[in-house]
Amino acid sequence: MSPPLLGVEGGGRGNAPLMSSSVSVDCISQSGSGLKERNYLGLSDCSSVGSSAVSNVSGENKNNLNLNATELRLGLPGSRSPERDSDFNLLTSGKLDEKQLFPLLPSMDGICSLSQKSIVSGNKRGFSDTVDGFSEIKNSVFTDGKWMFNATGSDSGTPQSVVEAKLAGNAGINVMLSNNSSGTQPSMKKEVPTRAPQEGHNKLNGSNNNSSAPAAKAQVVGWPPIRSFRKNTLATTSKNNDEVDGKPGPGALFVKVSMDGAPYLRKVDLRTYSTYQELSSALEKMFMCFTIRQCGSQEAPGREMLGENKFKDLLHGSDYVLTFEDKDGDWMLVGDVPWEMFIESCKRLKIMKGSDAIGLAPRAMEKSKNQS
Amino acid sequence: MQTDPNPKKSKDSPSNSANTESTQLPSPFPDEVLEKVLSFLNSDKDRSSVSLVCKDWYNAERWTRTKLFIGNCYSVSPEIVARRFSKIKSVTLKGKPRFSDFNLVPQNWGADVHYWLTMFANVYPFLEELRLKRMTVSDESLELLATAFPGFRALSLMSCDGFSTDGLKAIATHCRNLTELDIQDTDIDDFSGGWLSCFPENFGSLEVLNFASLDSEVNFDALERLVSRCKSLRVLKVNKSITLDQLQRLLLRAPQLMELGTGSFQEDLLPGQIGDLGNAFGNCKNLQTLSGLWEVTSIYLPVLYAACASLTFLNLSYAALRSVEFGNLLAHCPNLRRLWVLDTVEDKGLEAVGSSCPLLEELRVFPADPYDQHLHRGVTESGFVAVSRGCSKLHYVLYFCWQMTNAAVATIVQNCPNFTHFRLCIMNPGRPDYLTNEPMDEAFGAVVKTCTKLQRLSVSGLLTDLTFEYIGKYAKNLETLSVAFAGSSDRAMQFVLEGCPKLRKLEIRDCPFGNAALLSGLEKYETMRSLWMSSCNVTINACRRLAREMPRLNVEVMKDKESDDSQADKVYVYRSVAGPRKDAPPFVLTL
């Protein structure tokens, strides 16, 4: 009797990919350079024996966007420009000298966060449609402009690419690269799951193969067996912990938030939010007791709304605006730059009175132009 | 079994079973004496045994039972319960299969408590306690509970769903005698924290209040006043919205607390405030359980020290501590019996456990990063071994790790042969012994051979049929077995079904067990509470055959959308005296 782990073409069962879907990567990815579809599970080198460390790197990428990374660079898996190392903190566990991967595709980060959020919070829906969930994420990626780096105005001439990574929720990493400019690729190719059955079958028959390591990366519903409540809470907790010892782990990004007139500071981890809206709501909740709301807007005259910036809308009607201090020590209005750039450059947050914040906007715009 | 309500025998005549077999001897006791004696029995198992002795005892037992425990809400119907028992004051009901915790059971599967509640309202209006686990509870049900039972005192909801904070408002508003409100691991619609403000101003009977799994901010003033009024409060577990400053004030109001769940530690306190908090903790001389501790950092851990001397249960599973600060904390907790931690403490932290906690009986190590984004940090087999060396009383373990060896497990059970619960989760499915590359068969073999008292076992790693042969042969006290991604053939499951006499719950996922395995346990399933098999190799026809041959079993199948028509993707089999359930949703096939 054939195993039930059959063809997960086009949205198979959540359980189907089982454990070893990522093994399949071995067979897939060596397709040379260029913007072709690649499977960046990092297992392209088949000799990476049992090293589960190998496949995790895309997770690192999620948290390590920096401005250098906005520059798109491609290369064969296994070749990686040296300066990337430090950016990606891959060596924390010291295991990673093995074949890596991931010519880093910057937009992965944002997308990874997004997908993680939607998966982690989508528990009610059940993970049984993990692959279907994939399409959901894809849709949201393509429709939500924030994730597409258009806003960064990267004019380097490199083709814009959107990378989709379905990640955290199910320890599964399907990375797909679709090249907008050349239009060569249709978006989703579920390469990984389709390979699953063979490997899964072997595994079930108890044959010991090296695929045990990548197995963990498969999209397996309900595995490891941890309750939803705990999973959701841990998603935040583990990020917070990284900063505790002063090591800037890939996880956390604590900044202090002060408010004019409030008796104490709060701290927030910017990585737990993925949009300005979330940050704003969270801050509102935190400082609700101190906020004095006034009817009628207090927008500074002449301030333009930039891009898809809903953030200012949220403080519309309140006397306060949210500002941040960036790496250079300058104070700017929050909301002027794309989220990813913001969290990279933000050192501190301050909720100031609207009247104090006039004049900040132009500098923000200038800066973002310079940074692109 | 059908009950036949016998009229009670009169006081003066010896018990004379009028409608029984001729061989029955007259009982030496009048019923009242028998009932008085039996009323001291609390354990369900004892009561079950008593009820089987003879008809008189059966009746005496059912007239005196006040606590009802139903491990599977579909194994019996409300009508049957109502006919048999008349004096129930406390009910515990469990609903969905355990794998629903891991999203393997779709929404709206069932286990709705409402029908039970309407029956209770009719038959047990003096109901005082309701404890539900994995049931669906609507706001309507909570309102019914709050209004139909004037003496209602204790509500405990574990892993339940279906209600919102509106339902909690009803409870707070109407239950004048409430002593316990305990909400755990619950994913509900949290509209606002306003429910807490619904406790009347003169209400002061709470002994247990746990709202740690709710998100919304509650009105702190209302909470503070409530805590002040409830002089018998011994368990208080607040949610993340409660700040340190607020916590300190609560502790000052309730120094008598025995169990505390803190709010979030994510805050910048001034040094003076930190001192105050430490003093407030120090004031709590009776603290036995400490939990919560979200986002606690090394700076704040010392405030806990003063309260740690009497701690027996420390739940750090939401606090991502590192080994050093964790070790420092442990040094203040010599009386720990139960410890839950995150694997961020790593092996070094577990070594500290081994050296600081000689009385430890239970250890649970949860993964901070179950999807492994940070590259297999966490704990390894050495941490587990270190604990086993220092904690000879250890008998309950839940351990999540990425690697394990057969030798390590053998050492562990040699150090701690008294395991009753051994739950090992090697998070890579099907991972062999990482040193020898062999299957983990010998590890679990060692467990079942050495730990004769083993009641619960969860296996993981690369396992062949040999593991299950060992289990069937040696695990004579095993009651619950969880299997995932393991085994080579049907024989594995057969070994278990043939071998484990006390098996009650068997849950299996993603294993190569097929129809032969399923059908090898026909009579066995009637001695068990339930069987769960998902993503195995079972067909619907085999399930139909099982249902046909065993009419007292309910066989339910759920199919995944895309799979083959003949495949039974999820199978749930359980014994029942109530027949097939009538509330099955369309996606559940009852055969």
Side-chain angles (χ1 to χ4, degrees):
Chain A
M1 179 176 297
S2 54
L5 312 161
L6 290 181
V8 192
E9 279 357 281
R13 300 181 302 144
N15 285 331
L18 240 214
M19 347 116 220
S20 1
S21 54
S22 14
V23 184
S24 52
V25 177
D26 294 346
C27 323
I28 299 168
S29 55
Q30 301 289 3
S31 47
S33 57
L35 299 177
K36 297 238 185 87
E37 274 174 354
R38 291 172 179 284
N39 207 313
Y40 287 114
L41 287 178
L43 300 169
S44 50
D45 188 339
C46 296
S47 63
S48 66
V49 176
S51 159
S52 354
V54 175
S55 45
N56 300 340
V57 181
S58 66
E60 298 298 318
N61 295 341
K62 164 171 84 74
N63 298 313
N64 278 306
L65 173 66
N66 56 33
L67 293 179
N68 290 338
T70 57
E71 185 186 352
L72 183 63
R73 297 189 223 174
L74 297 175
L76 286 172
S79 67
R80 182 177 49 164
S81 16
E83 70 256 34
R84 296 283 181 173
D85 286 0
S86 52
D87 291 344
F88 288 81
N89 287 332
L90 294 174
L91 306 175
T92 45
S93 65
K95 289 188 202 170
L96 295 192
D97 17 323
E98 286 140 340
K99 9 316 199 49
Q100 304 308 350
L101 24 151
F102 301 103
L104 332 168
L105 300 167
S107 41
M108 271 170 73
D109 291 356
I111 292 164
C112 294
S113 318
L114 170 64
S115 39
Q116 176 176 31
K117 276 250 164 313
S118 52
I119 291 180
V120 169
S121 58
N123 283 328
K124 279 270 184 219
R125 168 167 69 82
F127 284 24
S128 54
D129 293 324
T130 49
V131 185
D132 288 344
F134 203 134
S135 7
E136 282 180 40
I137 290 163
K138 166 196 149 189
N139 291 335
S140 57
V141 165
F142 283 114
T143 52
D144 182 355
K146 282 200 171 79
W147 303 115
M148 291 203 32
F149 278 84
N150 292 324
T152 66
S154 52
D155 297 324
S156 54
T158 56
Q160 295 237 305
S161 36
V162 175
V163 175
E164 211 169 297
K166 175 169 183 191
L167 178 73
N170 282 306
I173 304 175
N174 283 338
V175 174
M176 283 147 359
L177 176 58
S178 88
N179 185 339
N180 291 347
S181 60
S182 68
T184 49
Q185 306 297 356
S187 41
M188 309 237 289
K189 207 165 157 208
K190 303 186 177 132
E191 298 175 295
V192 171
T194 54
R195 295 290 198 271
Q198 308 142 357
E199 303 297 344
H201 188 81
N202 290 339
K203 176 122 321 199
L204 288 180
N205 289 333
S207 56
N208 184 14
N209 53 33
N210 296 332
S211 56
S212 58
K217 297 301 149 277
Q219 304 166 26
V220 181
V221 176
W223 188 265
I226 298 172
R227 290 185 178 171
S228 310
F229 177 74
R230 179 173 293 283
K231 258 193 302 223
N232 294 342
T233 312
L234 286 179
T236 323
T237 304
S238 64
K239 286 184 208 164
N240 291 346
N241 180 63
D242 285 322
E243 223 223 32
V244 167
D245 297 340
K247 297 178 234 167
L253 202 56
F254 276 100
V255 295
K256 293 190 179 180
V257 187
S258 58
M259 176 165 173
D260 288 345
Y264 53 80
L265 302 176
R266 300 298 294 267
K267 252 186 169 180
V268 293
D269 178 1
L270 290 180
R271 296 221 188 268
T272 59
Y273 312 109
S274 47
T275 64
Y276 286 120
Q277 187 140 7
E278 286 176 25
L279 174 63
S280 163
S281 323
L283 290 180
E284 244 181 58
K285 260 172 87 172
M286 256 185 235
F287 289 89
M288 207 182 335
C289 35
F290 307 121
T291 304
I292 304 161
R293 293 192 176 276
Q294 288 188 353
C295 310
S297 68
Q298 290 262 340
E299 270 184 313
R303 214 202 306 158
E304 291 172 275
M305 301 292 276
L306 298 172
E308 309 171 19
N309 197 333
K310 302 185 185 114
F311 184 72
K312 295 196 190 78
D313 282 339
L314 298 169
L315 289 179
H316 185 96
S318 119
D319 199 31
Y320 290 84
V321 293
L322 185 62
T323 60
F324 76 104
E325 185 184 24
D326 73 354
K327 289 185 163 127
D328 305 331
D330 298 316
W331 285 91
M332 298 194 288
L333 277 175
V334 167
D336 289 349
V337 296
W339 176 258
E340 293 78 14
M341 296 191 106
F342 163 70
I343 60 178
E344 278 311 305
S345 52
C346 171
K347 283 284 154 249
R348 263 206 297 170
L349 288 168
K350 189 167 182 178
I351 304 177
M352 351 177 137
K353 288 203 188 307
S355 42
D356 294 340
I358 296 175
L360 291 183
R363 296 193 64 191
M365 285 171 64
E366 242 179 300
K367 275 220 162 187
S368 81
K369 283 206 183 107
N370 292 340
Q371 284 165 354
S372 66
Chain B
M1 56 192 105
Q2 283 301 320
T3 69
D4 191 31
N6 282 336
K8 286 178 87 158
K9 310 292 192 308
S10 66
K11 212 188 254 195
D12 299 319
S13 67
S15 174
N16 214 348
S17 327
N19 49 348
T20 58
E21 306 81 25
S22 52
T23 50
Q24 186 154 356
L25 300 170
S27 161
F29 299 121
D31 286 335
E32 281 74 14
V33 173
L34 187 56
E35 284 169 30
K36 184 71 179 170
V37 169
L38 294 184
S39 65
F40 291 108
L41 276 183
N42 286 323
S43 142
D44 284 316
K45 291 197 173 136
D46 289 343
R47 282 189 162 268
S48 244
S49 310
V50 158
S51 70
L52 295 174
V53 169
C54 66
K55 203 99 184 179
D56 286 338
W57 282 50
Y58 175 84
N59 286 324
E61 191 280 312
R62 71 184 182 89
W63 286 323
T64 55
R65 190 185 295 210
T66 58
K67 283 175 80 164
L68 188 64
F69 173 85
I70 299 176
N72 174 2
C73 63
Y74 287 120
S75 64
V76 71
S77 73
E79 290 82 9
I80 294 174
V81 169
R83 273 200 298 269
R84 179 171 172 184
F85 300 109
S86 52
K87 292 214 176 79
I88 299 297
K89 288 195 184 157
S90 160
V91 174
T92 301
L93 263 176
K94 298 188 183 179
K96 302 179 206 171
R98 192 179 77 97
F99 277 178
S100 73
D101 284 349
F102 316 127
N103 297 322
L104 290 182
V105 175
Q107 293 270 71
N108 303 318
W109 177 86
D112 193 317
V113 78
H114 199 75
Y115 191 47
W116 286 92
L117 282 178
T118 48
M119 182 277 280
F120 293 152
N122 282 332
V123 183
Y124 310 131
F126 35 78
L127 187 71
E128 293 176 2
E129 294 182 8
L130 184 64
R131 296 174 197 285
L132 303 178
K133 187 167 185 181
R134 294 192 197 100
M135 304 273 306
T136 296
V137 184
S138 64
D139 285 341
E140 201 192 330
S141 297
L142 290 176
E143 278 153 26
L144 178 61
L145 186 61
T147 50
F149 303 93
F152 191 73
R153 296 181 331 156
L155 178 61
S156 166
L157 301 172
M158 277 224 307
S159 300
C160 293
D161 66 335
F163 62 103
S164 77
T165 41
D166 289 346
L168 295 181
K169 277 189 182 161
I171 299 286
T173 308
H174 299 291
C175 297
R176 296 301 153 123
N177 302 309
L178 200 67
T179 59
E180 180 176 337
L181 180 58
D182 186 5
I183 302 166
Q184 290 183 46
D185 284 342
T186 293
D187 196 8
I188 62 166
D189 287 327
D190 192 338
F191 298 136
S192 88
W195 59 272
L196 191 117
S197 310
C198 292
F199 285 110
E201 282 300 317
N202 61 353
F203 168 81
S205 50
L206 267 186
E207 297 169 24
V208 174
L209 178 61
N210 176 0
F211 60 97
S213 53
L214 300 180
D215 278 329
S216 299
E217 200 166 322
V218 298
N219 181 319
F220 180 71
D221 284 336
L223 175 62
E224 193 177 8
R225 288 197 302 273
L226 178 66
V227 167
S228 310
R229 289 197 304 272
C230 296
K231 306 289 180 206
S232 306
L233 193 68
R234 52 182 170 81
V235 176
L236 177 62
K237 297 183 183 174
V238 300
N239 68 5
K240 276 189 198 176
S241 76
I242 299 295
T243 66
L244 290 177
D245 182 57
Q246 293 171 334
L247 178 68
Q248 189 247 342
R249 285 158 66 180
L250 291 176
L251 289 179
L252 289 180
R253 301 280 181 195
Q256 78 280 6
L257 282 179
M258 294 171 67
E259 297 186 25
L260 173 68
T262 71
S264 168
F265 272 70
Q266 185 188 319
E267 199 172 325
D268 280 341
L269 285 186
L270 302 169
Q273 288 172 301
I274 297 183
D276 288 342
L277 186 58
N279 288 337
F281 269 100
N283 242 358
C284 298
K285 308 279 184 215
N286 298 326
L287 216 52
Q288 291 177 3
T289 297
L290 185 58
S291 61
L293 300 168
W294 289 291
E295 291 135 355
V296 71
T297 58
S298 48
I299 316 167
Y300 288 121
L301 283 178
V303 311
L304 306 174
Y305 291 171
C308 287
S310 48
L311 274 190
T312 56
F313 177 22
L314 181 57
N315 181 352
L316 295 168
S317 62
Y318 295 106
L321 298 183
R322 304 285 195 192
S323 55
V324 175
E325 61 220 12
F326 174 61
N328 291 338
L329 175 61
L330 280 186
H332 292 86
C333 310
N335 290 313
L336 275 188
R337 305 253 193 292
R338 299 172 66 199
L339 177 61
W340 295 14
V341 290
L342 281 178
D343 64 358
T344 51
V345 303
E346 296 184 353
D347 288 335
K348 234 174 156 319
L350 294 183
E351 283 164 26
V353 173
S355 48
S356 308
C357 307
L359 302 177
L360 198 69
E361 298 175 26
E362 174 181 327
L363 175 68
R364 302 195 195 197
V365 182
F366 295 96
D369 191 5
Y371 305 112
D372 191 34
Q373 283 148 26
H374 295 163
L375 305 151
H376 287 334
R377 280 152 79 174
V379 295
T380 71
E381 76 281 7
S382 352
F384 199 168
V385 172
V387 175
S388 73
R389 277 203 209 104
C391 308
S392 56
K393 301 195 178 190
L394 197 63
H395 68 85
Y396 190 123
V397 133
L398 169 61
Y399 200 81
F400 284 87
C401 58
W402 297 100
Q403 65 187 42
M404 188 52 60
T405 66
N406 288 310
V409 177
T411 306
I412 289 162
V413 293
Q414 221 174 1
N415 293 338
C416 301
N418 296 316
F419 274 112
T420 55
H421 298 68
F422 192 91
R423 304 165 63 187
L424 176 62
C425 181
I426 305 169
M427 286 186 276
N428 284 349
R431 191 142 157 78
D433 178 323
Y434 79 99
L435 287 181
T436 65
N437 246 2
E438 285 169 1
M440 296 294 296
D441 295 334
E442 293 308 318
F444 293 103
V447 172
V448 293
K449 284 177 200 163
T450 316
C451 306
T452 52
K453 302 183 205 157
L454 196 68
Q455 293 169 22
R456 181 170 180 183
L457 180 64
S458 300
V459 299
S460 58
L462 180 67
L463 301 176
T464 70
D465 290 349
L466 183 57
T467 298
F468 301 93
E469 192 177 347
Y470 286 143
I471 293 176
K473 191 166 170 195
Y474 295 103
K476 293 306 172 192
N477 285 313
L478 192 65
E479 297 179 16
T480 304
L481 179 63
S482 308
V483 186
F485 305 105
S488 321
S489 77
D490 287 344
R491 282 301 288 145
M493 189 169 159
Q494 284 166 346
F495 283 131
V496 173
L497 290 172
E498 287 159 15
C500 299
K502 295 201 183 166
L503 194 65
R504 294 189 301 119
K505 288 178 275 185
L506 181 56
E507 41 186 34
I508 301 172
R509 62 165 294 179
D510 294 279
C511 295
F513 306 149
N515 296 337
L518 177 72
L519 295 173
S520 68
L522 296 185
E523 283 82 22
K524 179 74 174 177
Y525 302 136
E526 274 194 359
T527 67
M528 291 165 51
R529 184 187 292 177
S530 64
L531 165 74
W532 169 279
M533 279 178 83
S534 60
S535 303
C536 298
N537 287 347
V538 174
T539 66
I540 298 204
N541 284 337
C543 296
R544 285 210 176 92
R545 184 163 151 215
L546 173 61
R548 237 184 358 253
E549 307 223 3
M550 308 296 300
R552 284 186 299 205
L553 294 179
N554 281 358
V555 180
E556 296 179 9
V557 172
M558 287 184 277
K559 287 191 54 53
D560 288 340
K561 285 185 285 213
E562 293 84 9
S563 75
D564 197 342
D565 274 347
S566 63
Q567 290 295 328
D569 303 300
K570 292 175 180 158
V571 182
Y572 185 47
V573 179
Y574 57 93
R575 65 181 177 189
S576 175
V577 294
R581 58 180 175 122
K582 303 184 184 65
D583 63 350
F587 55 82
V588 173
L589 276 153
T590 42
L591 302 176

